[in-house]
Amino acid sequence: MSMTDKISIAIDGPSAAGKSTIARRIAQKYHYIYIDTGAMYRCVAYYMLAHQIDLQDEKAVSAKLDQLDIRLTNDGKVFLNGEEVTSVIREDAISLAASTVSAYPEVRAFLVEMQQSMSQGGGVVLDGRDIGTVVLPKAELKIYQIASPEARAMRRYQENMRRQLPADFQTILKEIEQRDYQDTHRATSPLRKAEDARVLDTSEMSIEEVVDRVSGWVDEILERGKHQ
Ligand code: DC
């Protein structure tokens, strides 16, 4: 790695662990590109629901993939076939539907290829479930970001309150546990820690503390690169 090289950063972990907040902050700090891979699975789910495709019908879902044109802008907007879907893909119904379609191998192959081509050349931060294990197995920095289900549910609850969205703590906790189960038990690329990933438990950490910890790792790797 030369001094001018930019590294690739993979952040994996369960839903609502704060991955996107950290990924976005680190990308801003280092002038890297942030790629929200969860948003891409959400786009697939949104498209299928909007076109009345039965989500349980894996063949029907896979056959529609070539109809999707997904674009992520660097300021965090998501476009699907030219329509801005940034907020609508965050709805609860889409979260669960995204978890369903993300179990299909053809959906994964389609999006993984797109993610890999977007990451060429480095200088990227990707967050998801399979970044360190499948999408970027050679990423210079891999992080497995976790937090207890209760801490994650509490953050989501507070966020919903702030955004005046439905907020019942027990319901949110149950949904988080259901998605954890689906994401870790699917046959294709289940959520798991890459062997060389650094575990970051953010249950008791503030956002600033997490950003500082991750920045320390990035700086250490960049510094090491200078002396090689
Ligand atoms: O991170 P998120 O909640 O926006 O992700 C939505 C769904 O997509 C989630 O259930 C897991 C799935 N996903 C995945 O399987 N692989 C990824 N790289 C990113 C998300």
Side-chain angles (χ1 to χ4, degrees), residues 37-45 98 101-102 107-108 111-112 115 130:
T37 67
M40 299 165 84
Y41 288 90
R42 287 169 182 274
C43 280
V44 174
V101 297
S102 72
V107 171
R108 302 204 69 83
L111 294 181
V112 166
Q115 291 153 13
D130 61 340

Side-chain angles (χ1 to χ4, degrees), residues 32-113:
Y32 281 16
I33 293 169
Y34 166 51
I35 302 172
D36 175 355
T37 67
M40 299 165 84
Y41 288 90
R42 287 169 182 274
C43 280
V44 174
Y46 176 78
Y47 181 93
M48 301 304 158
L49 287 177
H51 290 81
Q52 278 102 41
I53 309 290
D54 177 4
L55 288 177
Q56 305 302 327
D57 186 343
E58 180 173 350
K59 271 215 178 98
V61 169
S62 303
K64 286 283 177 194
L65 291 173
D66 61 1
Q67 306 291 312
L68 277 88
D69 176 29
I70 300 170
R71 303 207 180 258
L72 307 179
T73 68
N74 221 12
D75 59 350
K77 294 200 178 97
V78 185
F79 288 87
L80 172 62
N81 295 341
E83 177 196 352
E84 189 183 346
V85 294
T86 318
S87 327
V88 71
I89 58 167
R90 300 286 149 203
E91 288 173 10
D92 286 345
I94 305 290
S95 302
L96 217 48
S99 181
T100 302
V101 297
S102 72
Y104 300 153
E106 281 190 47
V107 171
R108 302 204 69 83
F110 171 74
L111 294 181
V112 166
E113 195 189 310

Side-chain angles (χ1 to χ4, degrees), residues 153 168-180:
D168 174 63
F169 181 79
Q170 287 306 331
T171 309
I172 294 173
L173 180 60
K174 220 180 278 157
E175 275 167 9
I176 282 181
E177 287 172 339
Q178 187 181 353
R179 277 220 283 157
D180 280 1

Side-chain angles (χ1 to χ4, degrees), residues 13 21 42 59 73 79 82 103 105 124 140 150 190 200 203 212-213:
T21 305
R42 287 169 182 274
K59 271 215 178 98
T73 68
F79 288 87
V124 288
E140 286 86 353
E150 291 73 19
L200 184 55
S203 306
D212 284 352
R213 177 80 55 85

